[in-house]
Amino acid sequence: MDFSLAKGIFESLYDSIDGYALSLRGRKKLPFYDRGLTYGEIVPDSFFTILKEVEPKDGEMFYDLGSGTGKAVILAALLFNFSKAVGIEIVEDLHHTAEKILVRFNEEIRPTLPNSAKTDIVFQCSDFLTSDFFEANIVFAHSTCFHDGELKVLTKKFENLKEGTRIITVSKSIDSPNLRIIDTQEHPFSWGTATVYFQCRL
């Protein structure tokens, strides 16, 4: 889909959504504190550039680990012909909002899309550290506040992905002999500019 059109649809869906307030409220309900759950959002223009870097192919699958209100998932589904786009989010308030956005998307947007652009969008309310995302071809993780323990678990999961899977992380790269760094770039996010790491499963 043309970026301008996709951005317009995206902004109309999220116009009244305050992800930061939802995250704060949702995290207060959790029985534990985890710095890795610190909330941050993509910026549409830079996220489009980020995804283009890994050259998504028609029919591939996109996963967002810590998907918040679903922004990256919805935008990925609008911009590229993924067969499936999945968001995994542990904070229930954020997940429920993503589900509501998806209902609007399915009712108002999906009927207007050509068949080739009708990505299957799924939101899971679960911990991505224990979730299965082996089918992914492209994985995005807004990992700025992930602690060492989370990165260690993610490293093992990334090492078990299919050969050729592209992994995009924000602020922190994954140190593994099974992953090759493709590129590093600076991109803006809702909270400021960060280094984005592009890696490939060998």
Side-chain angles (χ1 to χ4, degrees):
M1 181 184 293
D2 173 76
F3 174 71
S4 296
L5 178 57
K7 184 178 179 180
I9 293 171
F10 172 85
E11 290 178 343
S12 70
L13 288 171
Y14 285 95
D15 179 58
S16 61
I17 304 299
D18 185 346
Y20 285 91
L22 289 166
S23 175
L24 180 61
R25 185 178 70 194
R27 282 181 285 144
K28 286 181 177 178
K29 296 177 183 178
L30 294 173
F32 58 88
Y33 170 78
D34 185 345
R35 182 171 56 86
L37 298 179
T38 301
Y39 189 75
E41 295 183 341
I42 60 163
V43 174
D45 300 67
S46 63
F47 188 66
F48 181 37
T49 302
I50 288 168
L51 280 185
K52 283 194 299 183
E53 178 67 22
V54 295
E55 301 178 347
K57 299 176 180 64
D58 290 357
E60 289 193 321
M61 300 185 187
F62 171 82
Y63 270 70
D64 180 12
L65 309 183
S67 52
T69 58
K71 285 189 170 185
V73 173
I74 294 293
L75 197 55
L78 287 169
L79 290 170
F80 298 95
N81 293 330
F82 289 109
S83 62
K84 189 176 182 181
V86 181
I88 303 176
E89 175 57 54
I90 196 172
V91 179
E92 290 187 358
D93 288 56
L94 293 172
H95 168 73
H96 292 326
T97 298
E99 289 276 275
K100 291 177 182 177
I101 292 292
L102 181 56
V103 170
R104 281 192 60 200
F105 181 89
N106 286 334
E107 292 177 352
E108 301 172 16
I109 308 303
R110 191 177 292 277
T112 70
L113 300 177
N115 288 333
S116 62
K118 293 187 177 180
T119 301
D120 181 21
I121 300 173
V122 178
F123 290 114
Q124 301 175 5
C125 189
S126 59
D127 184 350
F128 58 73
L129 295 178
T130 58
S131 299
D132 178 13
F133 49 90
F134 180 77
E135 66 180 3
N137 303 104
I138 297 172
V139 178
F140 176 73
H142 205 147
S143 52
T144 302
C145 293
F146 289 1
H147 55 69
D148 290 344
E150 289 170 324
L151 291 172
K152 184 176 181 179
V153 174
L154 272 183
T155 298
K156 292 185 178 299
K157 295 182 79 69
F158 288 160
E159 288 175 340
N160 288 322
L161 293 173
K162 301 187 296 291
E163 180 181 340
T165 300
R166 287 88 81 205
I167 299 163
I168 306 167
T169 55
V170 181
S171 300
K172 297 175 181 178
S173 64
I174 302 299
D175 185 15
S176 167
N178 294 328
L179 302 178
R180 174 174 59 88
I181 291 184
I182 303 170
D183 198 6
T184 59
Q185 299 174 2
E186 297 292 315
H187 287 282
F189 292 84
S190 62
W191 47 270
T193 299
T195 302
V196 178
Y197 296 88
F198 302 86
Q199 296 179 264
C200 181
R201 171 69 170 85
L202 296 174

